[in-house]
Amino acid sequence: MVDEGTPVSEDGRKSFEVVCGVVIAVFAAVLAIASLGADKFSGDELIAHNEKNGAYLWYQSKGIKETLVEGQRDTLQALVAADSIRPEQLPAVQGLINKLDGQVRRYGKEKKEILLGSAVVGRENWVQDVDGKMGEVTGAKEWEARAKSLNAAGDVFNYANFFLQLCLVFGAISLVVQRHGVRSAFFWGMNLLGVVGTVFTVLAFYQAMHVP
């Protein structure tokens, strides 16, 4: 049995360095994978935020158009109610009111589809096309939920990177320490941190791959 205060033999040191080096290489590879995943899904999160903002702007533009059309319709209805329209013009004015009312209802449906998405509102409520195709609208709420999910996955990736980097630090220390007890403590600490980091990496990928 080797005492903690006793330096390890040359053969024991070389054998330990080989094992430790292999373990460090494995966890370094896991760290590289975790970093790639974090970068990839961080980019997806940024895209989701941009798409969400764009969808909300689109929604607001439809709301402005809806308000303008409502104003025109209400003005004509007020004129009709006040008998300010000549009798012979009433059919044409009423037709215009009906047309504007239809536009208001359409804008309302378009806003709902842009806000919630085509999949949510159902085929019967598809009124907004994307590049000439119906049913292709991803709603602002959907992009918002995707961004939140990706952000949560990003937090798990951060935990994974933290534990794996700390693991490599422990591994480097275990290679330079010459005392058996201290070296073993850092070696097993490296393994524990590496396993925790690996678990977080797997969880992060699982969470990111199941983002709605």
Side-chain angles (χ1 to χ4, degrees):
M1 181 176 178
V2 182
D3 184 77
E4 284 191 7
T6 305
V8 182
S9 65
E10 184 67 19
D11 290 341
R13 183 179 64 80
K14 289 182 179 180
S15 177
F16 173 82
E17 288 176 353
V18 171
V19 173
C20 187
V22 171
V23 175
I24 289 175
V26 170
F27 287 130
V30 177
L31 174 60
I33 293 171
S35 297
L36 287 173
D39 292 341
K40 194 269 181 189
F41 291 109
S42 176
D44 289 348
E45 181 187 353
L46 181 60
I47 291 173
H49 277 296
N50 290 336
E51 292 288 350
K52 178 199 72 174
N53 293 335
Y56 275 119
L57 288 174
W58 192 14
Y59 176 86
Q60 290 170 1
S61 71
K62 293 292 183 180
I64 293 171
K65 291 179 181 178
E66 181 185 29
T67 301
L68 292 174
V69 173
E70 283 179 336
Q72 294 174 8
R73 180 201 62 187
D74 294 345
T75 299
L76 289 176
Q77 288 176 336
L79 291 173
V80 171
D83 292 328
S84 299
I85 306 297
R86 291 200 299 267
E88 65 273 17
Q89 294 178 328
L90 276 176
V93 172
Q94 190 58 52
L96 181 56
I97 290 174
N98 293 337
K99 181 180 178 181
L100 292 172
D101 200 43
Q103 289 181 7
V104 170
R105 289 195 298 271
R106 179 180 176 84
Y107 281 131
K109 286 186 175 182
E110 288 179 348
K111 284 169 57 184
K112 185 176 181 180
E113 187 174 3
I114 292 168
L115 184 65
L116 301 178
S118 299
V120 176
V121 301
R123 187 183 187 90
E124 65 278 6
N125 293 310
W126 289 353
V127 290
Q128 181 63 59
D129 68 286
V130 176
D131 295 331
K133 296 180 180 179
M134 303 297 290
E136 298 290 325
V137 177
T138 301
K141 293 291 185 182
E142 291 178 307
W143 283 117
E144 187 173 6
R146 180 176 176 80
K148 287 181 179 178
S149 298
L150 287 169
N151 181 64
D155 291 340
V156 181
F157 273 117
N158 289 336
Y159 286 126
N161 284 329
F162 170 76
F163 282 108
L164 288 168
Q165 288 174 2
L166 201 56
C167 152
L168 297 183
V169 172
F170 271 50
I173 294 174
S174 68
L175 285 175
V176 299
V177 171
Q178 298 299 315
R179 302 297 176 178
H180 178 74
V182 178
R183 189 173 70 174
S184 294
F186 276 102
F187 176 76
W188 290 112
M190 172 189 68
N191 281 276
L192 177 61
L193 291 168
V195 169
V196 172
T198 301
V199 170
F200 273 117
T201 300
V202 173
L203 289 174
F205 272 106
Y206 178 82
Q207 190 169 341
M209 294 300 292
H210 288 79
V211 167

